[in-house]
Amino acid sequence: MFSKGFFSFILLVGFVLNSSEAISQRKVKESSKMEISTPLMTNPKLVVGIVVDQMRYDYLTRFWNHYGDDGFKRLVNEGFNCKNNHFNYAPTSTGPGHASVYTGATPSVHGVIGNNWYDKEIDKMVYCASDESYETVGMVSEAGKMSPHRMTVTTITDQLRLHTQMKGKVIAVALKDRGAVLPGGHTANAAYWFLGGGEGKWISSTYYMENLPEWVVKFNSSNAVQKYKRPWNTIENINSYVESGPDNNNYEGLYSGESAPVFPHNLPDLWEKNSQYEILKVSPFGNSITTDFALEALKGEQLGTDEITDFLAISYSSTDYVGHWFGVNSKEIQDTYIRLDRDLERIFKYLDTKVGKGEYTVFLTADHGAINVPAYLEDQKIPAGYLNKSEMQSNLAEFIKYRYGSTDLIKNYSNNQLFLDHKVIQNLDLSLQEVQETLANELLSSDDMAMVYTAYQMRNNEYTTGIPYIIQNGYNMKRSGDVLMVPKPANIDYSKTGSTHGSAQIYDTHTPLLFYGKGIKPGATTLKTEIPDIAPTLAALLGIAFPNGTTGKPITAVLE
């Protein structure tokens, strides 16, 4: 009934349909395979974490026209800029700052509640990185008795080490011990910091090693540090520094031996009166020394030379020393940042050549901001001032004696916190909550105080906005005090020259956060980000576990 041609046609149609179905199925499989093979992580050869000590966000914008194309501008123009980045806790100081950046948590979780704090268990002050269990490596000194043991959770650097079966290297470098020890985490291959005085050497702790590596010994025995024993003059014409106040003013500190805080600062002439190599820390040369050493670490440790991700943590400390000494409106701070920009350029150009542009990832942030000198603000008719803590403590002691018949209720007054003796309160048959509230109300009556909170409030309320939220994130149940004080904005306990930090106010919380390099999507946001978001953002990028105390969230806009 049907011709051979018809059967041939049917066979051909069947072949075409089967072929189309096969092609369709193959495309589905290939599409599925493409989805499965979509990278779960970015694998840079090296992550470089940069913390600039005491960097306000507006240092980016204020000195912008003086920066070159390959330092801060490269990070902003080719990377991602979080313009509304803040610390979400207080105190805003160096130890807690570095711990929070690297743990993705706040002091309420990681336990580093200050640079120093009163330890209720042993009844004495402790330092955030001190550890008598270890010895100094590289020098006969007490300066190396350090470890991260007071930080109670892991860091992003710890998680990288764990994820790579300890094959990814972690090296941390800073002038300050705490600026290296805390970022390095518990498992760092090494943390190094600078011993000033008459030494001018980089040292470490037996927590990490028994002897300094050969490359460190070689660096210490070279002229690398000694060459900075020279006068400090501005790197550009001082008349172009119109973004800062007059060079000679009453708001800046003096090096010992100087009669005015003006350029040039003749560091060789001031050497002996300012503890020799210590004076280099209070100058931009300290940052250059840090850069020199970081570059040697990259070479000596062969960081970023294979497919296993390494991590270099750098903290630039001299910006903090200079800010404390001369203030945030000084020509000294401006020159320090212009010079730091050139040091960053040195780092990035080395990474471009040795690791490969597009093969490394960088973040840059700060450990806190800083306030303008209150004496200067007062002269501009801006509300500001200085706390009279001795008078406040004296008045409080008098009140306690009148109210409770004894001043033994107070064990310690530090870091704007009052620590009470719970045993004495119990023996007097008093309510701890009632005593906390009574003292809080008394302290709030002081003209210096804006707010006062109790430990009972911190434990029994959940704050989500404003100053109470910031104070609660800094409150650690085991380590913090019974009464927590918040001075009025722009009121500080400090000398009348130079700037400081530590408060919950916005001038101390608003800091830069820049991401750049492999896995980073160029752009910017004015949405609020917080310091604990840095570590989980890196963890998401690297595809590794979050630090085990993480409270922050990945900043999704940053990631490709």
Side-chain angles (χ1 to χ4, degrees):
M1 295 175 60
F2 301 101
S3 68
K4 289 182 180 179
F6 178 78
F7 280 110
S8 297
F9 174 75
I10 294 297
L11 289 170
L12 179 61
V13 170
F15 174 77
V16 171
L17 289 173
N18 288 335
S19 298
S20 297
E21 185 178 358
I23 291 169
S24 177
Q25 288 178 352
R26 188 168 72 248
K27 284 183 176 179
V28 170
K29 287 181 180 179
E30 287 178 353
S31 175
S32 176
K33 189 181 291 184
M34 286 173 65
E35 289 176 9
I36 291 171
S37 64
T38 298
L40 295 172
M41 61 182 184
T42 300
N43 188 33
K45 292 183 177 180
L46 178 68
V47 177
V48 180
I50 300 173
V51 176
V52 183
D53 205 327
Q54 202 192 114
M55 185 174 183
R56 293 162 54 107
Y57 179 83
D58 63 353
Y59 288 161
L60 278 179
T61 57
R62 189 171 135 208
F63 307 138
W64 183 259
N65 292 334
H66 295 268
Y67 294 146
D69 292 332
D70 282 307
F72 287 116
K73 283 186 176 179
R74 186 201 281 204
L75 296 180
V76 171
N77 292 334
E78 300 178 34
F80 195 95
N81 181 10
C82 299
K83 298 181 178 181
N84 188 20
N85 181 64
H86 291 268
F87 281 84
N88 62 342
Y89 67 85
T92 42
S93 49
T94 301
H98 285 79
S100 297
V101 167
Y102 280 85
T103 63
T106 61
S108 63
V109 176
H110 62 60
V112 181
I113 64 169
N115 290 336
N116 302 275
W117 66 86
Y118 173 70
D119 189 316
K120 295 183 282 191
E121 293 184 4
I122 60 176
D123 191 26
K124 70 175 186 179
M125 296 294 292
V126 296
Y127 175 61
C128 62
S130 64
D131 193 336
E132 290 296 321
S133 303
Y134 298 96
E135 300 297 331
T136 305
V137 176
M139 194 63 59
V140 178
S141 169
E142 298 290 301
K145 290 177 172 286
M146 303 288 165
S147 87
H149 75 110
R150 299 191 199 280
M151 185 169 59
T152 60
V153 298
T154 63
T155 59
I156 187 66
T157 44
D158 287 326
Q159 297 302 151
L160 178 63
R161 292 277 285 155
L162 292 169
H163 186 81
T164 60
Q165 299 302 309
M166 302 296 175
K167 294 174 185 174
K169 279 189 175 181
V170 170
I171 306 294
V173 173
L175 294 182
K176 296 180 181 179
D177 48 52
R178 57 188 179 273
V181 170
L182 299 173
H186 303 276
T187 60
N189 297 83
Y192 300 103
W193 51 96
F194 187 71
L195 182 64
E199 306 295 347
K201 307 290 185 185
W202 289 89
I203 64 171
S204 190
S205 162
T206 51
Y207 179 85
Y208 306 100
M209 65 193 76
E210 293 301 318
N211 298 290
L212 293 177
E214 185 57 35
W215 68 266
V216 179
V217 174
K218 185 176 179 181
F219 186 92
N220 281 339
S221 60
S222 71
N223 192 44
V225 174
Q226 287 76 7
K227 69 183 180 183
Y228 292 105
K229 183 181 177 181
R230 62 179 192 245
W232 173 20
N233 209 344
T234 55
I235 198 167
E236 296 178 2
N237 188 324
I238 194 170
N239 294 323
S240 72
Y241 288 12
V242 295
E243 299 80 6
S244 302
D247 190 27
N248 194 5
N249 61 73
N250 297 324
Y251 314 115
E252 300 178 15
L254 294 169
Y255 290 129
S256 292
E258 276 192 327
S259 56
V262 297
F263 283 104
H265 298 285
N266 195 328
L267 303 190
D269 285 356
L270 303 168
W271 195 255
E272 295 300 328
K273 290 184 177 180
N274 292 271
S275 302
Q276 301 175 25
Y277 287 99
E278 288 296 315
I279 199 173
L280 296 182
K281 296 180 180 180
V282 195
S283 81
F285 301 143
N287 289 335
S288 296
I289 292 166
T290 303
T291 302
D292 294 344
F293 190 74
L295 290 171
E296 286 303 313
L298 284 163
K299 299 174 193 173
E301 298 292 342
Q302 297 185 311
L303 300 179
T305 57
D306 59 28
E307 300 308 311
I308 300 174
T309 302
D310 297 321
F311 202 116
L312 176 63
I314 307 171
S315 180
Y316 284 108
S317 308
S318 285
T319 42
D320 184 67
Y321 289 117
V322 173
H324 276 293
W325 208 267
F326 296 100
V328 306
N329 199 42
S330 64
K331 296 201 185 298
E332 282 79 2
I333 203 71
Q334 177 163 356
D335 192 65
T336 297
Y337 273 89
I338 294 170
R339 288 174 180 269
L340 175 59
D341 182 65
R342 300 188 184 192
D343 282 322
L344 293 175
E345 179 179 338
R346 285 202 288 148
I347 293 277
F348 299 151
K349 287 190 172 180
Y350 177 89
L351 295 174
D352 289 344
T353 302
K354 299 300 182 181
V355 179
K357 193 169 185 179
E359 292 297 330
Y360 61 91
T361 304
V362 176
F363 76 83
L364 182 146
T365 189
D367 57 350
H368 51 74
I371 186 176
N372 219 318
V373 180
Y376 168 74
L377 296 177
E378 287 179 309
D379 287 346
Q380 309 311 310
K381 301 180 181 178
I382 294 173
Y386 295 87
L387 305 180
N388 191 337
K389 281 202 170 179
S390 59
E391 181 179 314
M392 191 186 309
Q393 290 180 52
S394 176
N395 290 342
L396 184 64
E398 189 175 321
F399 171 81
I400 290 173
K401 188 167 185 179
Y402 170 78
R403 181 66 179 261
Y404 299 110
S406 171
T407 58
D408 293 340
L409 276 69
I410 298 179
K411 294 198 77 173
N412 181 268
Y413 185 113
S414 58
N415 292 335
N416 285 323
Q417 296 183 41
L418 199 63
F419 293 81
L420 303 178
D421 192 320
H422 292 196
K423 289 183 179 178
V424 170
I425 291 171
Q426 188 176 15
N427 290 339
L428 291 173
D429 199 25
L430 298 171
S431 162
L432 178 61
Q433 180 186 350
E434 186 274 331
V435 173
Q436 289 176 353
E437 290 176 351
T438 299
L439 298 186
N441 287 330
E442 176 64 20
L443 286 164
L444 189 58
S445 67
S446 166
D447 290 339
D448 293 334
M449 288 298 124
M451 307 173 193
V452 183
Y453 295 93
T454 67
Y456 184 84
Q457 289 175 295
M458 294 293 109
R459 288 170 181 256
N460 291 280
N461 296 302
E462 184 177 356
Y463 302 104
T464 57
T465 60
I467 297 294
Y469 166 73
I470 292 173
I471 298 300
Q472 189 168 50
N473 283 332
Y475 175 80
N476 185 280
M477 286 190 181
K478 285 185 172 289
R479 294 181 175 177
S480 295
D482 293 274
V483 181
L484 301 93
M485 292 160 271
V486 182
K488 291 192 299 187
N491 280 253
I492 62 173
D493 178 28
Y494 203 63
S495 67
K496 292 198 173 182
T497 58
S499 294
T500 192
H501 50 85
S503 78
Q505 307 296 345
I506 202 162
Y507 45 77
D508 283 337
T509 68
H510 189 196
T511 59
L513 176 55
L514 306 171
F515 291 91
Y516 166 84
K518 192 167 187 177
I520 302 302
K521 181 171 63 178
T525 184
T526 54
L527 295 176
K528 188 173 185 179
T529 59
E530 296 180 330
I531 285 294
D533 296 338
I534 297 170
T537 301
L538 290 174
L541 181 143
L542 297 172
I544 66 177
F546 288 15
N548 63 16
T550 298
T551 56
K553 298 177 181 178
I555 308 168
T556 56
V558 167
L559 304 176
E560 289 183 342

